[in-house]
């Protein structure tokens, strides 16, 4: 499909012209998503790998940008890198079907650093977030499905563009500067899905948001870049779409409704890979409907649509909780055994032996007659068939992607009920001014 | 082609086991290439875009790593970013056919920062450079030609891997840590060729070398990453090779001879895109053989092999000298008119009107009967056919890629004959110890 000859410029014009504050629903959803995201960041801030990043990157730096969950300030680039990593390290942050990944973690760490530095209002910050997410989601839609399937981590590759678009909107870049920033972001697009299950996966989010910040800062300083990354015949689609691009989806329907509203963000109920969430829901339902216990189970077969477990690169017998985030077998075993899934199931400790004993009896298959998994959430399903030792079979089908509507409890859990952070959800729900935003940032950059 | 199931580990073992200091020819070539490279860095250090990077990234940082050509020290990551950009900004640094890009600029800025910090000997530094280049070139060979043709800038995408391999060798990483470092580098592989002709192109080199440094530092700190980026079915080849990969070329023939010896580096005679160099040589030859002047010329047709001008994204009438680096038409006009090509032809000033008048009369064609341009240098040629106003035709064919053997004069030109730097070539030719390397770094990090 041939792209509009000025597609990048037209996208830049759409970014500049957008006024999402006029859409109350979008703003309300954005505030809710921010509460959910800050829960994930604060919950991840003390992770071993986040501490490695702090040790590696903050020495010798100084500045006014805070490290979330730490009493530490550094330059905006370093803060974005570390805060992006921390926001993704639990694999608990929101997902979006059009991105096939995590938009908020790629946008907010860079955007917040800039907004505080520039004394932006909380309203302008929220508007920029919605526009950045719109850009990231629509580029994702236009890229098609082969990008992800062939090995790219879309959070990482689309993230720089989303972050750069958000900052361009916040700082009211003219369309030419915005187009340059988007191209400088796209030329930093990187991240391979083979890193799922390793510390490198959340690092991708940190690198992406820092890349978006880099792109925006450089464009504003007059650093020159190509203005045509979308329509150039050897541009973004040639490199990343494997022939599956649909460039018209970048602008067709822009903001009507906003992508944050429809198809909308999913706020995760469980701190593991999205594609394993229906498995957790199914396991919990089987347990509660049949008082099912591990000892009764002979074998379990989980059926996915074609491509439905592409993200689930963890093995049936993961080594640690990190790897287990990407193991539907282990997620089934944990939910069925414990009746709940928590952060403690997916940390760096070795995978639990009792759960491994059950997960080793779980296998996967694909229903080749079903529609291939696509950004359309209605294509997502799992069927769990449990064969009991007595020969009987229990089945449960889960359609779509389960999520939560209200992250208040998740926020309290992730912060361990720490009173220092208890005011954040109410502040995020009401914030409007620059002073509100500064107060939020100060609260976030406090030692957990 | 299926990859060796442990290809990444076997590559890591080859890196660890390599001892290129035993090959005197390789070491001599490496020393020559370093002199050429430092000429390019010092010549580029005062570029407008390099100054933007210094303003954007050094504020609030501190450390012991020097900015080349400036009396300024910062942390190793920031230094690598800026020094990598400066080394590539003139598009005057060496090229290698197996990379289809520029290896030294991706390796040395990161490697030098680490080597000085770790008090490595100059011998160990040179050995690591040869091993990093071997790795980068062999991954390039294994990736096939579609990677570049579909839009990736190979200097940028292979650079992190080359830099990480060099540092892994220098610091004597065990094979597992090396494999992790290589994967952390590969997952940062980024850079689109559409940025050719813009400040973003040299930025790619800076980003690449910083990414390699990041990968090596994190791997050494116990940061976890996938150990199998080459053989993983959704790994590096799936994402970047477009089905053209030849994984056996990674290790087949490793170090025998070293890639720095054969097919070898080309040290550029002209500060413009490699693919335009045969055009410059042809124009100079036509001028000197026939006393040809611009006024005599009606039209010029330059014939390339298929794919031979893929890198030449500049137009026949470039706006500035930066864009002109990628314009074979302008390069022809400059060489024919002035009888020499220098840094002054390719700076940020507007393209010269007298040269534009001639370059507008130059066109390109492809000889579809010729072999497609490949990393094999014998596939590279141009034929220049000049039709004079008197109706006569002059032709000149140039085969292969012209380069220089001795960069001494280039070094003196690039440093403007500044006495402060005059001792660098002799030092590089003789350096062996850690003290020698420290002395070199101190000289390089001196204000131009």
């Amino acid at each position: 499909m041939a792209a509009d000859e000025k597609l990048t410029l037209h996208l830049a014009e759409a970014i500049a012209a957008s006024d999402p504050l006029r859409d109350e629903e979008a703003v309300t959803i954005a505030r809710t998503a921010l509460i959910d995201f800050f829960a994930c960041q604060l919950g991840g801030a003390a992770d071993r790998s986040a501490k490695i990043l702090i040790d590696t990157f903050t020495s010798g730096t100084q500045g006014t940008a805070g490290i979330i969950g730490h009493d530490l300030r550094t330059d905006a680039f370093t803060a974005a890198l570390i805060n992006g990593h921390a926001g993704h390290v639990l694999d608990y942050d929101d997902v979006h079907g059009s991105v096939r990944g995590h938009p908020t973690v790629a946008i907010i760490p860079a955007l917040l650093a800039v907004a505080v530095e520039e004394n932006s209002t909380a309203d302008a910050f929220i508007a920029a977030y919605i526009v950045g997410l719109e850009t990231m989601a629509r580029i994702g839609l236009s890229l098609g499905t082969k990008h992800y399937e062939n090995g790219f981590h879309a959070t990482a590759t689309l993230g720089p563009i989303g972050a750069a678009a958000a900052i361009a909107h916040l700082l009211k870049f003219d369309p030419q500067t915005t187009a340059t920033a988007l191209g400088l972001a796209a030329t930093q697009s990187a991240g391979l899905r083979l890193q799922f299950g390793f510390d490198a996966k959340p690092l991708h989010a940190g690198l992406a948001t820092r890349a978006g910040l880099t792109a925006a800062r450089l464009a504003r300083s007059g650093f020159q870049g190509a203005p045509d990354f979308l329509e150039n015949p050897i541009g973004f689609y040639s490199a990343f779409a494997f022939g599956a691009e649909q460039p018209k989806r970048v602008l067709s329907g822009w903001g009507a409704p906003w992508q944050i509203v429809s198809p909308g963000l999913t706020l995760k109920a469980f701190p593991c890979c999205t594609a394993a969430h229906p498995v957790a829901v199914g396991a919990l339902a089987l347990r509660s409907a049949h008082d099912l216990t591990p000892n009764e189970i002979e074998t379990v077969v989980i059926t996915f649509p074609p491509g439905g477990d592409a993200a689930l690169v963890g093995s049936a017998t993961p080594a640690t909780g990190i790897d287990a985030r990407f193991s539907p077998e282990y997620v089934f075993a944990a939910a069925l055994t414990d009746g709940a899934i928590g952060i403690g199931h997916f940390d760096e400790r070795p995978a639990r032996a009792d759960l491994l004993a059950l997960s080793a009896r779980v296998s996967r298959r694909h229903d080749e007659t079903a529609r291939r998994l696509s950004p359309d959430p209605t294509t997502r399903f799992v069927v769990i068939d449990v064969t009991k030792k007595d020969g009987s079979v229990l089945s449960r089908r889960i359609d779509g992607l389960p999520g939560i509507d209200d992250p208040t409890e998740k926020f309290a859990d992730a912060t361990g009920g720490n009173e220092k952070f208890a005011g954040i959800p109410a502040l995020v729900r009401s914030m409007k001014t620059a002073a509100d935003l500064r107060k939020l940032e100060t609260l976030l950059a406090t030692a957990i």
Side-chain angles (χ1 to χ4, degrees), chain A:
Chain A
M1 188 188 290
D4 168 356
E5 281 181 18
K6 291 189 173 179
L7 183 54
T8 307
L9 183 63
H10 293 154
L11 169 60
E13 289 165 348
I15 289 167
S18 289
D19 182 10
L21 294 180
R22 294 164 60 182
D23 184 332
E24 280 185 33
E25 187 183 7
V27 172
T28 301
I29 292 172
R31 291 180 190 274
T32 304
L34 288 170
I35 295 166
D36 184 86
F37 176 66
F38 296 137
C40 299
Q41 276 198 314
L42 289 165
D47 185 88
R48 174 193 57 81
S49 61
K51 287 179 178 166
I52 293 176
L53 296 188
I54 291 173
D55 290 345
T56 305
F57 293 106
T58 63
S59 112
T61 68
Q62 51 191 343
T64 59
I67 305 291
I68 307 294
H70 294 266
D71 188 14
L72 182 62
R73 291 194 174 265
T74 177
D75 65 283
F77 296 106
T78 305
L81 176 69
I82 295 167
N83 292 337
H85 178 86
H88 196 45
V89 75
L90 298 178
D91 231 296
Y92 205 5
D93 53 313
D94 58 49
V95 293
H96 195 285
S98 304
V99 172
R100 201 160 179 172
H102 306 262
T104 303
V105 69
I107 296 168
I108 294 299
L111 183 65
L112 185 59
V114 173
V116 171
E117 196 171 281
E118 302 275 338
N119 206 27
S120 303
T121 67
D123 274 344
F125 167 76
I126 290 169
Y129 164 49
I130 295 168
V131 173
L133 193 149
E134 185 77 8
T135 307
M136 189 169 167
R138 292 195 156 275
I139 303 271
L141 279 177
S142 76
L143 202 49
T145 59
K146 289 187 188 173
H147 177 69
Y148 189 87
E149 290 170 6
N150 283 10
F152 286 104
H153 178 195
T155 304
T157 53
L158 300 174
I161 301 168
I167 297 169
H169 185 268
L170 184 81
L171 301 183
K172 302 189 195 313
F173 285 3
D174 63 49
Q176 283 72 22
T177 307
T178 300
T180 300
L182 296 173
L184 290 172
T187 207
Q188 297 177 75
S189 286
L192 299 175
R193 204 150 56 77
L194 80 125
Q195 298 288 5
F196 283 14
F198 296 95
D199 297 336
K201 194 213 178 196
L203 177 66
H204 289 169
L207 292 166
T209 198
R210 183 181 69 171
L213 177 61
T214 299
R217 281 267 177 88
L218 288 178
R220 187 165 65 161
S221 298
F223 199 86
Q224 294 162 357
D228 60 348
F229 83 105
L230 288 173
E231 64 272 25
N232 191 305
I234 55 159
F236 197 70
Y237 295 126
S238 172
F240 285 123
F242 300 92
E245 68 269 26
Q246 298 183 300
K248 290 195 193 316
R249 302 189 78 174
V250 175
L251 289 176
S252 174
W254 176 273
W258 295 101
Q259 286 273 319
I260 200 171
V261 175
S262 176
L265 285 170
T266 299
L267 308 185
K268 283 185 165 191
F270 312 108
C272 61
C273 179
T274 308
H277 284 212
V279 175
V281 171
L284 294 172
L286 284 164
R287 177 186 151 112
S288 92
H290 305 284
D291 290 329
L292 187 64
T293 63
N295 286 341
E296 297 174 89
I297 296 175
E298 184 71 35
T299 58
V300 181
V301 177
I302 306 175
T303 302
F304 293 91
D309 65 337
L312 295 168
V313 295
S315 82
T317 52
T320 71
I322 309 289
D323 192 22
R325 292 171 188 163
F326 302 90
S327 167
E329 299 88 354
Y330 194 84
V331 167
F332 174 87
L336 194 285
T337 303
D338 296 349
I341 296 272
I343 293 174
H345 284 109
F346 301 108
D347 60 24
E348 64 209 87
R349 289 174 296 178
R352 263 166 52 194
D354 63 323
L355 302 187
L356 288 173
L358 177 53
S359 65
R361 279 177 277 148
V362 182
S363 59
R364 311 181 199 182
R365 63 178 287 278
H366 299 95
D367 177 357
E368 300 296 345
T369 70
R371 282 170 62 202
R372 190 166 187 79
L373 183 71
S374 78
D376 175 359
T378 66
T379 59
R380 191 185 288 276
F381 73 87
V382 300
V383 178
I384 304 175
D385 294 302
V386 176
T387 302
K388 293 174 67 175
K389 287 177 178 163
D390 66 10
S392 65
V393 173
L394 301 173
S395 286
R396 181 69 60 146
R397 179 182 172 108
I398 305 293
D399 284 284
L401 186 60
I404 60 172
D405 293 325
D406 182 352
T408 309
E409 192 181 331
K410 178 174 171 178
F411 187 91
D413 282 352
T415 56
N418 190 324
E419 279 301 316
K420 285 194 285 190
F421 305 108
I424 288 177
L427 176 58
V428 172
R429 284 200 187 88
S430 66
M431 65 182 183
K432 294 191 76 65
T433 66
D436 292 340
L437 196 66
R438 283 199 306 276
K439 185 175 174 189
L440 170 66
E441 202 265 354
T442 303
L443 282 171
L444 287 167
T446 304
I448 42 180

